[in-house]
Amino acid sequence: VSLAYAGGAVRPSVNDVAHSAHDTASAASQSAAVVSSTELQQASQNGIYVGGSIGHLWQDWKDSPNQASGSNNLSSTFFAALLGYQYSANYSGELGFIYLPDVNGVRLLPGTSLGTIDSYVFSLQLKLIQPIYKQLSLFAKGGVMYRSLTLNGDTSMYGPIFGLGAEFLLNPNFSFDLSYNHLAGSGSLNAASIETVPATNMVLLGVNYNFSA
């Protein structure tokens, strides 16, 4: 350490002061990085979260026995929402809701009259999460769904639902995900106007908010 003598007092030189300031700034930067990393890790391990998604789906009502000829008979854009609880860095449970766009020009069996199918889905799924690099994780999820369909009367079905995707943790509260999801169909619904329900394949882009961070 170099010292300067002035006016009867020993004082640090200008270089010493500069080096000390640099060291202090470096330590503060490293501390902030540690805090940020810890917060992100905690946010990814537990707590209640909500999410919303926009996506595109494919389902073949055109070639089904109902022979839908109107809009949304093969594909359409849709919206979804979820409420979840993350138990650890690797497990969470989700209650989901999907609103499926109306399918128009649907033939009412066994006649030839045309109608519109209204449909929505509730699902309960277990989500398995595998962190792979910093804020990026891969996930797989699966469970059971309840699907309501309305065409000249109400009917419903139960079936499996599953998905695969990737999630990026933007900060302790917000994350984004991209996923593929599959809704099983039914080959024998035995409803008054709907004989079968085609399987549905979906791609979704979502944003989630974690309340615990």
Short mmCIF file of all heavy atoms in Angstrom, two decimals, residues 104-146:
data_model
loop_
_atom_site.label_atom_id
_atom_site.label_comp_id
_atom_site.label_asym_id
_atom_site.label_seq_id
_atom_site.Cartn_x
_atom_site.Cartn_y
_atom_site.Cartn_z
N ASN A 104 -68.64 -24.94 -36.62
CA ASN A 104 -69.89 -24.64 -37.31
C ASN A 104 -70.14 -25.59 -38.48
O ASN A 104 -69.24 -26.27 -38.96
CB ASN A 104 -69.86 -23.20 -37.83
CG ASN A 104 -69.75 -22.19 -36.69
OD1 ASN A 104 -70.59 -22.16 -35.80
ND2 ASN A 104 -68.70 -21.38 -36.73
N GLY A 105 -71.39 -25.62 -38.92
CA GLY A 105 -71.77 -26.48 -40.04
C GLY A 105 -71.70 -27.95 -39.71
O GLY A 105 -71.36 -28.78 -40.57
N VAL A 106 -72.04 -28.32 -38.46
CA VAL A 106 -71.97 -29.72 -38.02
C VAL A 106 -73.30 -30.42 -38.27
O VAL A 106 -74.36 -29.92 -37.86
CB VAL A 106 -71.61 -29.78 -36.52
CG1 VAL A 106 -71.49 -31.24 -36.07
CG2 VAL A 106 -70.32 -29.02 -36.24
N ARG A 107 -73.24 -31.58 -38.90
CA ARG A 107 -74.46 -32.33 -39.18
C ARG A 107 -74.96 -33.01 -37.91
O ARG A 107 -74.22 -33.70 -37.23
CB ARG A 107 -74.21 -33.39 -40.26
CG ARG A 107 -75.47 -34.13 -40.72
CD ARG A 107 -75.19 -34.86 -42.02
NE ARG A 107 -74.22 -35.93 -41.84
CZ ARG A 107 -74.56 -37.19 -41.55
NH1 ARG A 107 -75.84 -37.53 -41.40
NH2 ARG A 107 -73.63 -38.12 -41.44
N LEU A 108 -76.24 -32.78 -37.61
CA LEU A 108 -76.86 -33.39 -36.43
C LEU A 108 -77.30 -34.81 -36.77
O LEU A 108 -78.18 -35.01 -37.61
CB LEU A 108 -78.08 -32.58 -35.97
CG LEU A 108 -77.82 -31.36 -35.09
CD1 LEU A 108 -77.07 -30.28 -35.85
CD2 LEU A 108 -79.13 -30.81 -34.54
N LEU A 109 -76.64 -35.77 -36.15
CA LEU A 109 -77.00 -37.16 -36.40
C LEU A 109 -78.31 -37.51 -35.69
O LEU A 109 -78.58 -37.01 -34.61
CB LEU A 109 -75.86 -38.08 -35.92
CG LEU A 109 -74.50 -37.84 -36.58
CD1 LEU A 109 -73.46 -38.73 -35.95
CD2 LEU A 109 -74.57 -38.06 -38.07
N PRO A 110 -79.13 -38.38 -36.30
CA PRO A 110 -78.91 -39.09 -37.56
C PRO A 110 -79.45 -38.36 -38.78
O PRO A 110 -79.49 -38.92 -39.88
CB PRO A 110 -79.72 -40.38 -37.33
CG PRO A 110 -80.88 -39.93 -36.49
CD PRO A 110 -80.34 -38.85 -35.59
N GLY A 111 -79.86 -37.10 -38.65
CA GLY A 111 -80.44 -36.37 -39.76
C GLY A 111 -79.42 -35.61 -40.57
O GLY A 111 -78.22 -35.91 -40.55
N THR A 112 -79.90 -34.58 -41.27
CA THR A 112 -79.03 -33.78 -42.12
C THR A 112 -79.02 -32.31 -41.71
O THR A 112 -78.39 -31.49 -42.37
CB THR A 112 -79.48 -33.88 -43.59
OG1 THR A 112 -80.85 -33.45 -43.69
CG2 THR A 112 -79.37 -35.31 -44.09
N SER A 113 -79.74 -31.96 -40.66
CA SER A 113 -79.74 -30.58 -40.19
C SER A 113 -78.35 -30.20 -39.69
O SER A 113 -77.57 -31.05 -39.26
CB SER A 113 -80.76 -30.40 -39.05
OG SER A 113 -82.06 -30.73 -39.49
N LEU A 114 -78.04 -28.90 -39.75
CA LEU A 114 -76.72 -28.41 -39.35
C LEU A 114 -76.80 -27.63 -38.04
O LEU A 114 -77.79 -26.94 -37.77
CB LEU A 114 -76.12 -27.54 -40.44
CG LEU A 114 -75.88 -28.20 -41.80
CD1 LEU A 114 -75.26 -27.21 -42.78
CD2 LEU A 114 -75.02 -29.44 -41.66
N GLY A 115 -75.76 -27.74 -37.24
CA GLY A 115 -75.71 -27.03 -35.98
C GLY A 115 -74.29 -26.61 -35.65
O GLY A 115 -73.38 -26.69 -36.48
N THR A 116 -74.08 -26.17 -34.41
CA THR A 116 -72.78 -25.68 -33.94
C THR A 116 -72.39 -26.41 -32.66
O THR A 116 -73.22 -26.56 -31.76
CB THR A 116 -72.83 -24.17 -33.67
OG1 THR A 116 -73.10 -23.48 -34.89
CG2 THR A 116 -71.51 -23.67 -33.09
N ILE A 117 -71.14 -26.86 -32.58
CA ILE A 117 -70.64 -27.51 -31.37
C ILE A 117 -69.93 -26.49 -30.50
O ILE A 117 -68.98 -25.84 -30.93
CB ILE A 117 -69.65 -28.66 -31.72
CG1 ILE A 117 -70.39 -29.80 -32.41
CG2 ILE A 117 -68.97 -29.16 -30.45
CD1 ILE A 117 -69.48 -30.95 -32.81
N ASP A 118 -70.43 -26.34 -29.28
CA ASP A 118 -69.76 -25.54 -28.25
C ASP A 118 -69.01 -26.51 -27.34
O ASP A 118 -69.56 -27.53 -26.93
CB ASP A 118 -70.76 -24.74 -27.43
CG ASP A 118 -71.56 -23.77 -28.29
OD1 ASP A 118 -70.95 -23.14 -29.15
OD2 ASP A 118 -72.78 -23.68 -28.08
N SER A 119 -67.77 -26.18 -26.97
CA SER A 119 -66.98 -27.13 -26.19
C SER A 119 -65.98 -26.41 -25.30
O SER A 119 -65.40 -25.40 -25.68
CB SER A 119 -66.24 -28.10 -27.12
OG SER A 119 -65.54 -29.07 -26.39
N TYR A 120 -65.79 -26.97 -24.09
CA TYR A 120 -64.74 -26.49 -23.19
C TYR A 120 -64.19 -27.67 -22.40
O TYR A 120 -64.81 -28.74 -22.33
CB TYR A 120 -65.25 -25.38 -22.26
CG TYR A 120 -66.35 -25.81 -21.33
CD1 TYR A 120 -66.07 -26.44 -20.11
CD2 TYR A 120 -67.69 -25.57 -21.65
CE1 TYR A 120 -67.09 -26.83 -19.25
CE2 TYR A 120 -68.71 -25.96 -20.81
CZ TYR A 120 -68.40 -26.58 -19.60
OH TYR A 120 -69.41 -26.98 -18.76
N VAL A 121 -63.00 -27.47 -21.79
CA VAL A 121 -62.30 -28.55 -21.11
C VAL A 121 -61.79 -28.08 -19.75
O VAL A 121 -61.23 -26.97 -19.64
CB VAL A 121 -61.09 -29.04 -21.95
CG1 VAL A 121 -60.24 -30.04 -21.16
CG2 VAL A 121 -61.56 -29.65 -23.26
N PHE A 122 -61.98 -28.90 -18.72
CA PHE A 122 -61.30 -28.76 -17.44
C PHE A 122 -60.32 -29.93 -17.31
O PHE A 122 -60.66 -31.06 -17.66
CB PHE A 122 -62.28 -28.79 -16.27
CG PHE A 122 -63.02 -27.50 -16.06
CD1 PHE A 122 -64.36 -27.39 -16.42
CD2 PHE A 122 -62.38 -26.40 -15.50
CE1 PHE A 122 -65.05 -26.20 -16.24
CE2 PHE A 122 -63.07 -25.20 -15.32
CZ PHE A 122 -64.41 -25.10 -15.68
N SER A 123 -59.14 -29.66 -16.78
CA SER A 123 -58.14 -30.73 -16.65
C SER A 123 -57.43 -30.65 -15.31
O SER A 123 -57.32 -29.57 -14.71
CB SER A 123 -57.12 -30.65 -17.78
OG SER A 123 -56.35 -29.46 -17.68
N LEU A 124 -56.95 -31.79 -14.85
CA LEU A 124 -56.14 -31.89 -13.64
C LEU A 124 -54.90 -32.69 -14.01
O LEU A 124 -55.01 -33.85 -14.42
CB LEU A 124 -56.91 -32.58 -12.51
CG LEU A 124 -56.19 -32.70 -11.17
CD1 LEU A 124 -55.90 -31.31 -10.60
CD2 LEU A 124 -57.03 -33.51 -10.19
N GLN A 125 -53.71 -32.06 -13.87
CA GLN A 125 -52.48 -32.69 -14.34
C GLN A 125 -51.34 -32.60 -13.33
O GLN A 125 -51.25 -31.63 -12.57
CB GLN A 125 -52.01 -32.05 -15.65
CG GLN A 125 -52.99 -32.18 -16.81
CD GLN A 125 -52.39 -31.69 -18.10
OE1 GLN A 125 -51.60 -32.40 -18.75
NE2 GLN A 125 -52.74 -30.48 -18.50
N LEU A 126 -50.47 -33.59 -13.36
CA LEU A 126 -49.21 -33.57 -12.63
C LEU A 126 -48.12 -33.15 -13.61
O LEU A 126 -48.03 -33.69 -14.72
CB LEU A 126 -48.89 -34.95 -12.06
CG LEU A 126 -47.51 -35.10 -11.39
CD1 LEU A 126 -47.42 -34.22 -10.15
CD2 LEU A 126 -47.23 -36.57 -11.05
N LYS A 127 -47.28 -32.19 -13.21
CA LYS A 127 -46.24 -31.65 -14.07
C LYS A 127 -44.87 -32.03 -13.51
O LYS A 127 -44.57 -31.76 -12.34
CB LYS A 127 -46.38 -30.12 -14.15
CG LYS A 127 -45.39 -29.44 -15.09
CD LYS A 127 -45.69 -27.94 -15.12
CE LYS A 127 -44.74 -27.18 -16.03
NZ LYS A 127 -45.04 -25.72 -16.03
N LEU A 128 -44.05 -32.67 -14.33
CA LEU A 128 -42.69 -33.05 -13.96
C LEU A 128 -41.72 -32.09 -14.64
O LEU A 128 -41.78 -31.90 -15.86
CB LEU A 128 -42.39 -34.48 -14.40
CG LEU A 128 -43.38 -35.55 -13.92
CD1 LEU A 128 -42.98 -36.92 -14.45
CD2 LEU A 128 -43.49 -35.56 -12.40
N ILE A 129 -40.82 -31.48 -13.86
CA ILE A 129 -39.96 -30.41 -14.34
C ILE A 129 -38.49 -30.81 -14.19
O ILE A 129 -38.09 -31.33 -13.15
CB ILE A 129 -40.21 -29.12 -13.54
CG1 ILE A 129 -41.70 -28.77 -13.55
CG2 ILE A 129 -39.38 -27.96 -14.09
CD1 ILE A 129 -42.11 -27.83 -12.46
N GLN A 130 -37.71 -30.55 -15.24
CA GLN A 130 -36.28 -30.84 -15.20
C GLN A 130 -35.48 -29.60 -15.61
O GLN A 130 -35.41 -29.28 -16.80
CB GLN A 130 -35.93 -32.01 -16.11
CG GLN A 130 -34.45 -32.36 -16.14
CD GLN A 130 -33.90 -32.69 -14.75
OE1 GLN A 130 -34.40 -33.59 -14.09
NE2 GLN A 130 -32.87 -31.96 -14.31
N PRO A 131 -34.91 -28.86 -14.65
CA PRO A 131 -34.04 -27.72 -15.01
C PRO A 131 -32.84 -28.23 -15.82
O PRO A 131 -32.24 -29.25 -15.48
CB PRO A 131 -33.60 -27.17 -13.65
CG PRO A 131 -34.64 -27.66 -12.68
CD PRO A 131 -35.05 -28.99 -13.19
N ILE A 132 -32.49 -27.51 -16.89
CA ILE A 132 -31.37 -27.96 -17.73
C ILE A 132 -30.26 -26.92 -17.84
O ILE A 132 -29.10 -27.29 -17.98
CB ILE A 132 -31.85 -28.36 -19.14
CG1 ILE A 132 -32.56 -27.20 -19.84
CG2 ILE A 132 -32.74 -29.59 -19.08
CD1 ILE A 132 -32.87 -27.48 -21.29
N TYR A 133 -30.59 -25.62 -17.76
CA TYR A 133 -29.53 -24.60 -17.87
C TYR A 133 -30.04 -23.28 -17.33
O TYR A 133 -30.97 -22.69 -17.89
CB TYR A 133 -29.10 -24.43 -19.33
CG TYR A 133 -27.98 -23.42 -19.51
CD1 TYR A 133 -26.68 -23.72 -19.11
CD2 TYR A 133 -28.23 -22.18 -20.07
CE1 TYR A 133 -25.65 -22.80 -19.25
CE2 TYR A 133 -27.21 -21.25 -20.23
CZ TYR A 133 -25.93 -21.57 -19.83
OH TYR A 133 -24.91 -20.65 -19.97
N LYS A 134 -29.47 -22.85 -16.21
CA LYS A 134 -29.84 -21.58 -15.59
C LYS A 134 -31.35 -21.47 -15.43
O LYS A 134 -31.96 -22.23 -14.71
CB LYS A 134 -29.25 -20.41 -16.38
CG LYS A 134 -27.73 -20.35 -16.32
CD LYS A 134 -27.18 -19.13 -17.02
CE LYS A 134 -25.66 -19.08 -16.90
NZ LYS A 134 -25.08 -17.89 -17.56
N GLN A 135 -32.00 -20.53 -16.15
CA GLN A 135 -33.44 -20.33 -15.98
C GLN A 135 -34.29 -21.20 -16.91
O GLN A 135 -35.51 -21.06 -16.93
CB GLN A 135 -33.81 -18.87 -16.24
CG GLN A 135 -33.17 -17.89 -15.26
CD GLN A 135 -32.09 -17.08 -15.92
OE1 GLN A 135 -31.09 -17.63 -16.38
NE2 GLN A 135 -32.26 -15.77 -15.98
N LEU A 136 -33.69 -22.08 -17.70
CA LEU A 136 -34.42 -22.89 -18.68
C LEU A 136 -34.71 -24.29 -18.14
O LEU A 136 -33.82 -24.95 -17.61
CB LEU A 136 -33.62 -22.99 -19.98
CG LEU A 136 -34.28 -23.75 -21.13
CD1 LEU A 136 -35.55 -23.03 -21.59
CD2 LEU A 136 -33.31 -23.89 -22.30
N SER A 137 -35.97 -24.73 -18.29
CA SER A 137 -36.38 -26.05 -17.85
C SER A 137 -37.21 -26.73 -18.92
O SER A 137 -37.87 -26.07 -19.74
CB SER A 137 -37.22 -25.96 -16.57
OG SER A 137 -36.50 -25.38 -15.51
N LEU A 138 -37.16 -28.05 -18.92
CA LEU A 138 -38.06 -28.86 -19.74
C LEU A 138 -39.11 -29.47 -18.82
O LEU A 138 -38.85 -29.70 -17.64
CB LEU A 138 -37.29 -29.97 -20.47
CG LEU A 138 -36.20 -29.52 -21.44
CD1 LEU A 138 -35.53 -30.75 -22.06
CD2 LEU A 138 -36.75 -28.61 -22.53
N PHE A 139 -40.31 -29.75 -19.36
CA PHE A 139 -41.34 -30.36 -18.53
C PHE A 139 -42.21 -31.32 -19.35
O PHE A 139 -42.31 -31.22 -20.57
CB PHE A 139 -42.22 -29.29 -17.87
CG PHE A 139 -43.02 -28.44 -18.81
CD1 PHE A 139 -44.23 -28.87 -19.34
CD2 PHE A 139 -42.57 -27.17 -19.16
CE1 PHE A 139 -44.97 -28.06 -20.19
CE2 PHE A 139 -43.30 -26.35 -20.01
CZ PHE A 139 -44.50 -26.81 -20.53
N ALA A 140 -42.80 -32.24 -18.62
CA ALA A 140 -43.81 -33.15 -19.16
C ALA A 140 -44.95 -33.20 -18.17
O ALA A 140 -44.73 -33.14 -16.95
CB ALA A 140 -43.22 -34.55 -19.37
N LYS A 141 -46.18 -33.26 -18.66
CA LYS A 141 -47.32 -33.32 -17.75
C LYS A 141 -48.41 -34.21 -18.32
O LYS A 141 -48.50 -34.42 -19.53
CB LYS A 141 -47.87 -31.91 -17.46
CG LYS A 141 -48.27 -31.10 -18.69
CD LYS A 141 -48.67 -29.70 -18.26
CE LYS A 141 -49.04 -28.81 -19.44
NZ LYS A 141 -49.47 -27.46 -18.99
N GLY A 142 -49.23 -34.73 -17.43
CA GLY A 142 -50.30 -35.61 -17.85
C GLY A 142 -51.34 -35.75 -16.76
O GLY A 142 -51.07 -35.51 -15.58
N GLY A 143 -52.54 -36.11 -17.16
CA GLY A 143 -53.62 -36.26 -16.20
C GLY A 143 -54.93 -36.61 -16.88
O GLY A 143 -54.95 -37.27 -17.92
N VAL A 144 -56.02 -36.14 -16.28
CA VAL A 144 -57.35 -36.46 -16.78
C VAL A 144 -58.08 -35.17 -17.11
O VAL A 144 -57.85 -34.13 -16.50
CB VAL A 144 -58.14 -37.27 -15.73
CG1 VAL A 144 -58.34 -36.47 -14.46
CG2 VAL A 144 -59.47 -37.76 -16.30
N MET A 145 -58.96 -35.24 -18.10
CA MET A 145 -59.75 -34.07 -18.49
C MET A 145 -61.23 -34.41 -18.48
O MET A 145 -61.65 -35.56 -18.63
CB MET A 145 -59.36 -33.60 -19.90
CG MET A 145 -59.79 -34.57 -20.98
SD MET A 145 -59.72 -33.88 -22.65
CE MET A 145 -60.32 -35.29 -23.63
N TYR A 146 -62.03 -33.36 -18.27
CA TYR A 146 -63.48 -33.42 -18.45
C TYR A 146 -63.81 -32.49 -19.60
O TYR A 146 -63.45 -31.31 -19.56
CB TYR A 146 -64.20 -32.99 -17.18
CG TYR A 146 -65.67 -32.68 -17.40
CD1 TYR A 146 -66.62 -33.69 -17.40
CD2 TYR A 146 -66.09 -31.37 -17.62
CE1 TYR A 146 -67.97 -33.41 -17.62
CE2 TYR A 146 -67.43 -31.07 -17.83
CZ TYR A 146 -68.36 -32.09 -17.82
OH TYR A 146 -69.69 -31.80 -18.03
#
